[in-house]
Amino acid sequence: MNIFKNRKSMIVMMLAAFLTLAGINEAKAQVPSIPRNQKAQPNSYNYGSNIAWGTQYDWLSTRYVTYSDIQYMDRGQIRVLKNSIYARHGRRFQDSQLRAYFNSQSWYNPRRNEVPAREFNKYENYNISFLHRYE
């Protein structure tokens, strides 16, 4: 069964690369898929109501992003991924594209202009820095 998952992942990545090379890539703010079928476990973190759970981005708070997670994403997709960490913490966006994208998400609740760094856990801090390098 493990081999099937790896082959399936490989086929999906190859198809994404082909579509990108063929110029059939969708809008820059395309929603990245959740890698490795990882589900977040919000009970292991003490966020209370400061963070939105139940989103396609929960995994960014529960593990480190790797290059293999983003290797077939374009800069726009990586930008959305990075900013989803801020959005889940309730950040308002000045950028009209980010604002429009996150306003279209049912879980998004903009409450403040900035999120204090102390509110991010070790995964989120690392992932913001990591994704920023590829954005």
Side-chain angles (χ1 to χ4, degrees):
M1 188 68 155
N2 194 14
I3 293 171
F4 176 75
K5 285 183 182 178
N6 289 336
R7 280 188 180 173
K8 183 177 178 182
S9 297
M10 183 178 73
I11 291 169
V12 168
M13 287 190 290
M14 289 172 59
L15 179 59
F18 171 76
L19 293 174
T20 299
L21 290 173
I24 307 176
N25 200 359
E26 292 185 17
K28 294 272 185 195
Q30 178 181 355
V31 177
S33 61
I34 301 171
R36 302 181 191 149
N37 295 326
Q38 180 135 357
K39 293 185 179 180
Q41 298 174 6
N43 294 335
S44 62
Y45 301 98
N46 189 17
Y47 287 124
S49 62
N50 291 335
I51 189 169
W53 287 100
T55 77
Q56 68 268 37
Y57 303 109
D58 289 357
W59 64 276
L60 292 165
S61 298
T62 62
R63 73 168 180 85
Y64 298 114
V65 175
T66 64
Y67 180 74
S68 64
D69 293 327
I70 63 166
Q71 66 185 349
Y72 298 108
M73 292 183 184
D74 62 31
R75 285 184 175 183
Q77 292 168 317
I78 293 170
R79 184 172 183 238
V80 168
L81 201 61
K82 182 190 85 173
N83 282 286
S84 70
I85 297 169
Y86 294 102
R88 292 179 59 237
H89 283 269
R91 181 180 182 191
R92 289 185 193 101
F93 294 97
Q94 297 297 316
D95 181 273
S96 61
Q97 289 179 325
L98 289 173
R99 187 173 53 246
Y101 173 75
F102 288 112
N103 279 335
S104 73
Q105 304 301 305
S106 62
W107 52 265
Y108 180 56
N109 181 19
R111 300 181 303 279
R112 50 197 166 165
N113 294 329
E114 286 301 326
V115 179
R118 69 180 178 276
E119 287 193 23
F120 297 123
N121 69 22
K122 65 181 182 179
Y123 301 110
E124 293 166 329
N125 278 316
Y126 173 86
N127 292 341
I128 288 168
S129 296
F130 179 84
L131 293 167
H132 183 70
R133 285 183 270 168
Y134 294 96
E135 181 181 9

